[in-house]
């Protein structure tokens, strides 16, 4: 039996390849592990953050495959089922007993002669069984190819399947929420990418160069910070031409949020670089002839990359909430675009909301998404300094 003690170089190679020997002691593992490996080990211990990461991955996967996951198209109208309540899924009926295949009952509409409100009751004489991978309305997947296969649905295209209810035009709310997730969730990611670029670039130059550059960048930040955020969003969004297409308005709003949102990250980056620009490794790079941008990009920014990741994670929900607020107020994205903020426009009427509370389901998705990002940010913040 080979009982040779592994050298330190061999231990480093093991951990770099992810092949940790069973005989490795905990102290040895932490001794040779990289900064990112230590962060990952500590992040895995944060169970709430791990659960939040799984939920967010599922949300983004559903947004990516929204056409396939939705039982209906977002603009399909079922005029006989306007403002229909959510349908319940059944496994048992008095007529046929227990069924392994779930089904939903049809709904019949009646009008209250005193209040003139439309009400729906289950029609037990008609039931529709649910199937996986059924043919439905044709759609274009990712704008590349056409297909009519949906994850679940009924064999009858016109059969009512409204698990989250319908709106005042008879459109399936569940399908619209799944489609809306693509707009709202991608808005947060794209917005934070531009914010990250501006914050790292301007904050890095401000902290590294100092002097006039630092003064100009910091006074610009002061100017943007002193203006109330929501009125500034509203003013810039209202300035977008109304004859723009939905895609142009979408990217216009992304740019607006990035222009306003980079200030906090730039302040953090500036402070970090001020403390690192006089270190020995920075001086060595400068004497070797490296340019200022290369020193910032290759040596300074990676030194606090973990804190940058935490800042980005906590900024994404703020961007999602901003888009939702503007769309809810009617000065952001507008129909026929489907986003969670646009869907919440139907809940502005309190009288309608009192009779159709299921129209608030998009708000629940927004709350869950923001909570998951905050939980994820907490876990990353705790893991950012794994030596504590």
């Amino acid at each position: 039996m080979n009982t040779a003690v592994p050298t330190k170089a061999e231990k480093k190679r093991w951990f770099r390849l992810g092949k940790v020997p069973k005989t490795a002691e905990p102290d040895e593992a932490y001794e040779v592990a990289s900064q990112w490996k230590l962060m990952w080990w500590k992040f895995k211990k944060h169970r709430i953050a791990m659960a939040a990461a799984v939920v967010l991955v599922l949300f983004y996967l559903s947004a990516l495959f929204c056409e396939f996951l939705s039982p209906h198209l977002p603009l399909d109208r079922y005029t006989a089922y306007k403002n229909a309540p959510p349908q319940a899924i059944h496994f048992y009926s008095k007529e046929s007993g227990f069924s392994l295949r779930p089904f939903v009952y049809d709904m019949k509409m009646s009008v209250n002669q005193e209040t003139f409100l439309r009400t729906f009751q289950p029609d037990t004489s008609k039931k529709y069984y649910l199937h996986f991978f059924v043919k439905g309305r044709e759609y274009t997947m990712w704008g590349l190819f056409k297909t009519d296969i949906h994850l679940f649905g009924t064999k009858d295209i016109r059969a009512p399947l409204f698990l989250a209810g319908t709106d005042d035009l008879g459109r399936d709310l569940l399908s619209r929420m799944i489609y809306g997730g693509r707009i709202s969730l991608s808005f947060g990611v794209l917005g934070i990418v531009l914010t990250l670029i501006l914050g790292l670039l301007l904050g890095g130059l401000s902290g590294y160069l100092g002097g006039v550059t630092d003064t100009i960048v910091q006074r610009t930040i002061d100017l943007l910070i002193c203006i109330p955020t929501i009125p500034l969003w509203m003013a810039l969004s209202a300035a977008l031409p109304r004859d723009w297409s939905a895609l142009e308005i979408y990217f216009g709003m992304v740019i607006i949020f990035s222009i306003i949102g980079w200030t906090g990250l730039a302040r953090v980056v500036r402070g970090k670089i001020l403390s690192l620009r006089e270190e020995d490794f920075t001086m060595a790079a400068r004497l070797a002839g490296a340019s200022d941008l290369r020193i910032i990009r290759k040596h300074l920014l990676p030194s606090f990359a973990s804190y940058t990741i935490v800042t980005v994670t906590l900024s994404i929900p703020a961007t999602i909430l901003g888009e939702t607020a503007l769309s809810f107020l009617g000065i952001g994205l507008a129909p026929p675009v489907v986003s969670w903020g646009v869907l919440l426009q139907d809940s502005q009427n309190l009288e309608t909301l009192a009779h159709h509370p299921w129209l608030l389901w998009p708000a629940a998705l927004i709350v869950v998404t923001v909570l998951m990002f905050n939980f994820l940010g907490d876990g990353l913040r705790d893991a950012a300094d794994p030596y504590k």
Side-chain angles (χ1 to χ4, degrees):
M1 181 181 296
N2 186 10
T3 59
V5 178
T7 64
K8 190 172 182 178
E10 291 175 338
K11 294 177 184 177
K12 288 184 177 180
R13 183 172 61 85
W14 285 339
F15 285 96
R16 186 173 62 252
L17 298 176
K19 300 177 179 178
V20 184
K22 295 181 179 180
T23 57
E25 298 294 333
D27 293 340
E28 295 177 349
Y30 280 97
E31 178 184 353
V32 298
S34 64
Q35 174 83 0
W36 295 106
K37 178 68 73 173
L38 292 173
M39 282 184 61
W40 171 241
W41 285 344
K42 191 168 184 180
F43 180 74
K44 286 196 300 183
K45 297 179 181 179
H46 202 297
R47 295 185 178 180
I48 296 179
M50 288 292 293
V54 172
V55 173
L56 289 175
V57 168
L58 293 177
F59 272 32
Y60 276 94
L61 286 177
S62 66
L64 183 62
F65 298 97
C66 63
E67 297 94 345
F68 171 67
L69 296 176
S70 302
H72 304 283
L73 298 184
L75 300 181
D76 281 352
R77 296 185 181 184
Y78 296 81
T79 55
Y81 301 95
K82 295 180 180 179
N83 289 323
Q87 289 175 293
I89 297 178
H90 300 273
F91 289 90
Y92 176 82
S93 65
K94 294 182 180 180
E95 298 80 9
S96 57
F98 181 77
S99 172
L100 291 177
R101 184 175 295 280
F103 61 89
V104 295
Y105 287 119
D106 197 353
M107 293 183 290
K108 52 185 178 181
M109 187 265 294
S110 61
V111 179
N112 190 311
Q113 298 301 321
E114 296 181 358
T115 61
F116 297 101
L117 290 177
R118 296 156 56 98
T119 58
F120 289 86
Q121 299 296 331
D123 184 0
T124 57
S125 63
K126 297 179 181 179
K127 57 183 179 182
Y128 302 96
Y129 288 95
L130 303 183
H131 301 266
F132 286 108
F133 306 105
V134 298
K135 289 188 176 182
R137 297 290 185 182
E138 188 178 66
Y139 58 87
T140 304
M141 190 70 179
W142 302 323
L144 299 177
F145 57 91
K146 292 184 178 181
T147 181
D148 59 357
I149 302 300
H150 296 259
L151 176 62
F152 68 96
T154 61
K155 294 295 184 68
D156 186 358
I157 295 179
R158 299 303 303 178
L161 179 59
F162 312 124
L163 302 182
T166 62
D167 60 10
D168 57 349
L169 296 178
R171 297 171 297 190
D172 179 39
L173 189 58
L174 176 62
S175 300
R176 290 173 64 78
M177 287 191 297
I178 297 175
Y179 272 85
R182 171 176 289 183
I183 299 295
S184 296
L185 294 175
S186 65
F187 192 94
V189 174
L190 291 179
I192 207 62
V193 167
L194 294 179
T195 299
L196 183 65
I197 294 173
L198 291 175
L200 293 179
L201 179 61
L202 297 179
L205 292 175
S206 175
Y208 184 78
L209 298 179
V212 178
T213 303
D214 185 34
T215 302
I216 294 174
V217 173
Q218 295 308 308
R219 297 297 76 79
T220 303
I221 293 176
D222 293 337
L223 177 63
L224 292 175
I225 289 178
C226 71
I227 302 175
T229 305
I230 293 181
L232 183 58
W233 284 345
M234 294 173 64
L236 294 177
S237 297
L240 295 177
R242 293 294 95 181
D243 58 346
W244 277 13
S245 65
L247 185 62
E248 291 172 332
I249 293 178
Y250 174 84
F251 282 106
M253 290 183 61
V254 168
I255 294 174
I256 289 173
F257 276 78
S258 301
I259 291 175
I260 300 173
W262 63 272
T263 55
L265 179 60
R267 280 277 171 89
V268 174
V269 171
R270 175 182 178 271
K272 294 290 183 181
I273 287 184
L274 283 175
S275 63
L276 294 174
R277 66 179 183 179
E278 302 301 331
E279 295 289 338
D280 293 341
F281 69 90
T282 307
M283 187 65 67
R286 190 181 297 114
L287 293 176
S291 63
D292 293 337
L293 284 177
R294 180 176 177 82
I295 293 175
I296 295 172
R297 180 170 55 89
K298 287 288 188 180
H299 301 284
L300 297 181
L301 293 181
S303 300
F304 52 91
S306 58
Y307 295 96
T308 304
I309 294 174
V310 174
T311 303
V312 168
T313 305
L314 295 176
S315 300
I316 291 178
T319 306
I320 294 175
L321 287 175
E323 181 273 327
T324 301
L326 292 183
S327 298
F328 174 77
L329 296 174
I331 55 177
L333 300 174
V337 178
V338 182
S339 74
W340 290 341
V342 173
L343 293 179
L344 284 177
Q345 290 182 9
D346 296 334
S347 63
Q348 292 183 5
N349 188 336
L350 294 180
E351 182 179 355
T352 302
L353 189 60
H355 299 292
H356 315 298
W358 54 86
L359 295 178
L360 273 179
W361 276 117
L365 293 178
I366 296 170
V367 171
V368 171
T369 301
V370 173
L371 279 177
M372 293 303 104
F373 270 114
N374 287 333
F375 291 153
L376 179 64
D378 289 341
L380 290 174
R381 183 173 55 199
D382 294 340
D385 190 0
Y387 295 102
K388 286 186 178 180

